Amino acid sequence: INNIDIRGGAKQLHTKHTMDGAGLIDENIGRNDGGRCVWSSQGWTSKIDLRNQIFCNRSLNMKNIVAVGFDMDYTLAQYMPQTFESLAYDGTVRKLVYDLGYPTELLEWSFDWEYMVRGLVLDKKRGNILKMDRHKYVKVAYHGFREMSKEEKMATYGNTLIRDSFDEPEYALIDTLFSLAEAYLFAQLVDFRDNNPEKIPDNVDYARMYKDVRAAVDLCHRDGTLKQMVAQDPGKYINDDTSIVPMIKMLRDSGRSTFLVTNSLWDYTNVVMNFLCGHRTMGGSLPCNFDWLENFDVVITGSAKPGFFHEENRANLFEVEPHSGMLRNTNNGTPMAQVGSTSPAISLAGLKKGCRVFQGGSVGHLHKLLSIESSAQVLYVGDHIYGDILRSKKVLGWRTMLVVPELEREVELLWKSRDIRKQLRRLREERALVEDNIHHLKWSLKYEAADDSNKEKLLSQLSELEIPAKQIQREQVRLLHQEAQRECHHKFHKVWGQLMKTGYQNSRFAHQVERFACLYTSQVTNLSLYSPDKYYRPSEDFMPHEFNILEL
Ligand code: U5P
């Protein structure tokens, strides 16, 4: 220990992980292999697979957390987009054709569930799909499925002074996995309209098409198109994850209350949670029961997030009778005395034993039910930056963890492409140095050179840098750089590149993750890899000047 180089040691902690080359990446670190860190000559190294680590943006001491809450859809329940979003896509197409009068050709279309990614922005009016960096600079732009030229992109989005905010209502944010199907269908419709103007009425512009798609997708979620199918065979649509129950049990054993707040209604919530906690199905051999409720203190369904997070929200809170699904009125969580009943209303405040199920209400009700004194005592885990994370953190002050399933692949590819990234960085620095040198020589020549011999020397140095051979070298550097960049981009996603990056900048999505999520991770069950009392600490912030000095 005496031999630790403080800087080197500290660095190792952040940089050494289990993904040691392509071999180790697939090694499944067992959950009972005795310890999560190892000490070696290189310092302490984490044994938790990078893909399963919890990353921290803002310090969070779990000791201060008294209640941990979960969103359900795409947080506890990871849907398989290839089946679930395809179902949404097919249902939406049928609604567009049969209810809204779109051409029947649409029925022949198919859905490429891998094409769209989260973090994209739809320009409803122009029919464009955009990926931008954290400064809202549009880096990748497609009109339907046609890539926009640099000039076209600049002409439409390039003016930095009048740059749009790229928010609703002119734009739509693809920030939940639920939106992938609608984004794809929008691109298809834009293409279709451009190529077959006679088949789409004049008054149906791109924005109207988006509105129709959005409404049809939403209806599929609400009218049973999707949920009946999922209820029949949840295993076809939802990833089986047996580690959810132990993870929740761990939190409960550590003294935390646990709760569920979902926008789904009770009947569907019951199906999904039965599948996740006990592999039961609606019509299958193991009919749904309510055992899963023992994992929670309070379940709130039909919560209408993000409105739920506003304390001034006056939404009524109903108690759900699990067997019948019937709703009972409550008075701020206290059951209303029945007309003619003489028994006093039972207070639900401080509820300790036996989970109760509710519908609606707002965060004030939940705090009362769980005896929460300060919102900083609550950690909420969700998948939707706007619906789950932004409001709960910003409006309310809950601590937040964002589930980003894409992170698993992102981290894996990042690991595999680290050599090309290093090369990219080197080329970039090299180019900058050559450019700086040329500037320096030109500057000296113009403003400093005292005599002719000095001038001659400078000129010869300059020509050395600028002679054709050097120019070619510079061009080679530039091309290599471009190629490496393209290769990197395509490795992550053939069209949109890396989820968290846009060129060298953080993507807008990454920026939001950084700002709004205290923690983020690929799966909710990664919580069980860490102590329920863990003090999550972010890595040190670095400004570019510090970064250069510390040569990170
Ligand atoms: N949902 C809609 N409309 C959409 C997308 C999702 O109603 O366009 C529904 C899902 O079907 C699910 C709920 O029931 O919203 C999301 O719930 P949660 O993420 O709060 O658990």
Side-chain angles (χ1 to χ4, degrees):
I1 285 195
N2 289 338
N3 289 337
I4 303 176
D5 158 15
I6 297 292
R7 248 182 60 192
K11 231 166 92 179
Q12 294 297 354
L13 267 180
H14 293 299
T15 53
K16 272 297 286 176
H17 300 281
T18 49
M19 284 192 188
D20 200 7
L24 253 180
I25 203 161
D26 292 317
E27 186 185 313
N28 197 2
I29 303 284
R31 281 169 191 257
N32 301 309
D33 62 352
R36 297 274 165 240
C37 297
V38 280
W39 171 258
S40 71
S41 57
Q42 292 170 311
W44 281 104
T45 59
S46 172
K47 272 168 75 185
I48 301 177
D49 192 312
L50 253 180
R51 291 168 293 194
N52 301 121
Q53 291 187 12
I54 295 181
F55 302 100
C56 175
N57 289 317
R58 199 184 142 202
S59 293
L60 172 67
N61 187 354
M62 283 296 286
K63 282 193 176 143
N64 298 330
I65 299 296
V66 303
V68 182
F70 301 91
D71 164 60
M72 184 177 77
D73 300 291
Y74 275 122
T75 299
L76 290 175
Q78 280 308 329
Y79 292 97
M80 302 170 199
Q82 61 272 45
T83 51
F84 184 78
E85 295 308 328
S86 294
L87 203 59
Y89 174 89
D90 292 341
T92 304
V93 167
R94 280 198 299 275
K95 287 194 194 316
L96 288 175
V97 173
Y98 297 126
D99 302 346
L100 296 169
Y102 277 76
T104 48
E105 276 115 306
L106 270 67
L107 295 169
E108 283 146 38
W109 291 358
S110 59
F111 173 47
D112 177 358
W113 62 276
E114 288 175 303
Y115 187 90
M116 294 295 176
V117 296
R118 278 207 286 181
L120 299 177
V121 175
L122 305 189
D123 180 341
K124 299 182 199 172
K125 196 173 84 191
R126 299 184 182 90
N128 299 340
I129 299 125
L130 318 170
K131 183 179 176 197
M132 54 192 73
D133 71 13
R134 68 188 172 97
H135 306 291
K136 296 188 180 172
Y137 176 78
V138 176
K139 237 1 219 277
V140 189
Y142 277 74
H143 176 74
F145 291 106
R146 175 181 62 79
E147 186 168 14
M148 289 168 73
S149 68
K150 206 169 175 177
E151 294 70 34
E152 209 179 343
K153 211 166 58 186
M154 282 302 286
T156 321
Y157 304 108
N159 192 332
T160 48
L161 289 178
I162 51 158
R163 187 164 297 160
D164 265 309
S165 64
F166 295 107
D167 282 325
E168 295 279 359
E170 286 89 5
Y171 296 87
L173 310 177
I174 304 305
D175 56 359
T176 85
L177 293 167
F178 283 127
S179 317
L180 302 185
E182 76 196 48
Y184 192 75
L185 199 41
F186 177 63
Q188 281 181 310
L189 282 170
V190 168
D191 251 22
F192 184 76
R193 189 180 187 280
D194 290 353
N195 295 319
N196 308 277
E198 72 291 351
K199 294 190 178 166
I200 300 278
D202 287 346
N203 62 341
V204 178
D205 55 11
Y206 300 137
R208 170 65 191 275
M209 292 191 315
Y210 174 77
K211 200 169 156 215
D212 290 344
V213 171
R214 175 88 280 282
V217 170
D218 196 40
L219 198 57
C220 285
H221 280 269
R222 289 187 288 110
D223 71 356
T225 308
L226 282 172
K227 289 175 179 162
Q228 276 165 15
M229 298 294 283
V230 176
Q232 275 167 29
D233 188 3
K236 186 172 168 192
Y237 303 99
I238 305 173
N239 282 322
D240 191 5
D241 190 348
T242 49
S243 45
I244 288 178
V245 172
M247 180 271 295
I248 300 178
K249 280 200 191 319
M250 175 196 82
L251 292 169
R252 293 177 71 76
D253 289 345
S254 73
R256 270 54 178 221
S257 303
T258 50
F259 65 90
L260 186 73
V261 175
T262 170
N263 283 354
S264 287
L265 294 174
W266 165 248
D267 52 351
Y268 185 68
T269 304
N270 191 33
V271 168
V272 174
M273 293 308 294
N274 258 281
F275 173 72
L276 291 176
C277 301
H279 309 284
R280 289 157 188 278
T281 61
M282 216 53 167
S285 50
L286 288 170
C288 286
N289 65 25
F290 308 112
D291 290 353
W292 65 272
L293 287 173
E294 71 196 24
N295 296 300
F296 299 95
D297 293 282
V298 174
V299 168
I300 299 198
T301 59
S303 63
K305 290 173 290 180
F308 179 84
F309 297 122
H310 290 266
E311 273 179 291
E312 66 277 13
N313 179 350
R314 299 255 167 266
N316 286 329
L317 181 75
F318 298 98
E319 186 164 3
V320 179
E321 205 290 298
H323 288 274
S324 63
M326 262 174 51
L327 300 183
R328 278 199 233 117
N329 286 330
T330 69
N331 183 10
N332 288 329
T334 306
M336 304 280 264
Q338 300 291 308
V339 180
S341 156
T342 48
S343 60
I346 310 149
S347 169
L348 293 185
L351 187 74
K352 280 280 173 286
K353 253 195 341 211
C355 175
R356 305 291 283 266
V357 184
F358 296 91
Q359 179 175 312
S362 71
V363 71
H365 296 126
L366 182 68
H367 281 182
K368 194 173 148 213
L369 290 165
L370 293 170
S371 305
I372 302 286
E373 285 159 13
S374 149
S375 46
Q377 297 174 319
V378 180
L379 172 66
Y380 187 63
V381 189
D383 69 293
H384 186 190
I385 291 191
Y386 279 89
D388 297 322
I389 300 297
L390 187 143
R391 294 283 158 228
S392 58
K393 178 164 181 249
K394 230 171 146 173
V395 180
L396 199 59
W398 276 5
R399 307 308 306 273
T400 53
M401 180 160 106
L402 185 74
V403 171
V404 187
E406 301 95 323
L407 206 57
E408 255 184 47
R409 194 165 165 271
E410 183 103 342
V411 160
E412 188 174 319
L413 289 175
L414 208 54
W415 183 260
K416 284 183 177 159
S417 63
R418 64 197 189 286
D419 290 338
I420 198 169
R421 283 175 174 271
K422 280 183 201 154
Q423 185 198 351
L424 259 172
R425 194 187 300 164
R426 219 180 22 250
L427 289 169
R428 204 169 177 226
E429 283 166 5
E430 215 168 280
R431 194 173 72 175
L433 283 177
V434 174
E435 283 165 5
D436 286 352
N437 215 2
I438 291 176
H439 162 76
H440 178 71
L441 291 170
K442 281 185 175 167
W443 195 89
S444 300
L445 204 60
K446 190 162 181 191
Y447 301 110
E448 273 184 351
D451 52 48
D452 284 351
S453 78
N454 202 351
K455 257 188 195 154
E456 235 166 72
K457 208 169 109 202
L458 287 168
L459 271 171
S460 110
Q461 282 178 3
L462 189 59
S463 69
E464 237 175 64
L465 275 176
E466 292 201 313
I467 53 174
K470 281 285 171 192
Q471 273 178 10
I472 290 167
Q473 257 184 34
R474 277 170 55 202
E475 182 61 7
Q476 271 174 348
V477 169
R478 198 182 67 77
L479 286 175
L480 262 173
H481 179 257
Q482 220 174 50
E483 211 172 282
Q485 218 176 9
R486 195 172 307 125
E487 199 187 319
C488 240
H489 181 89
H490 287 300
K491 244 195 187 107
F492 284 89
H493 190 281
K494 58 182 187 239
V495 182
W496 309 108
Q498 200 178 337
L499 175 74
M500 297 288 193
K501 281 272 178 301
T502 321
Y504 287 100
Q505 301 281 288
N506 280 351
S507 63
R508 186 186 186 188
F509 182 75
H511 188 48
Q512 288 168 337
V513 171
E514 199 169 45
R515 276 166 60 209
F516 302 123
C518 302
L519 306 175
Y520 64 102
T521 193
S522 59
Q523 306 171 24
V524 61
T525 46
N526 294 340
L527 271 173
S528 62
L529 301 177
Y530 298 84
S531 157
D533 287 332
K534 184 177 169 67
Y535 199 138
Y536 291 95
R537 293 184 179 87
S539 51
E540 192 180 340
D541 281 348
F542 284 110
M543 292 281 285
H545 70 279
E546 297 172 287
F547 195 79
N548 283 351
I549 292 168
L550 296 173
E551 286 178 317
L552 283 165

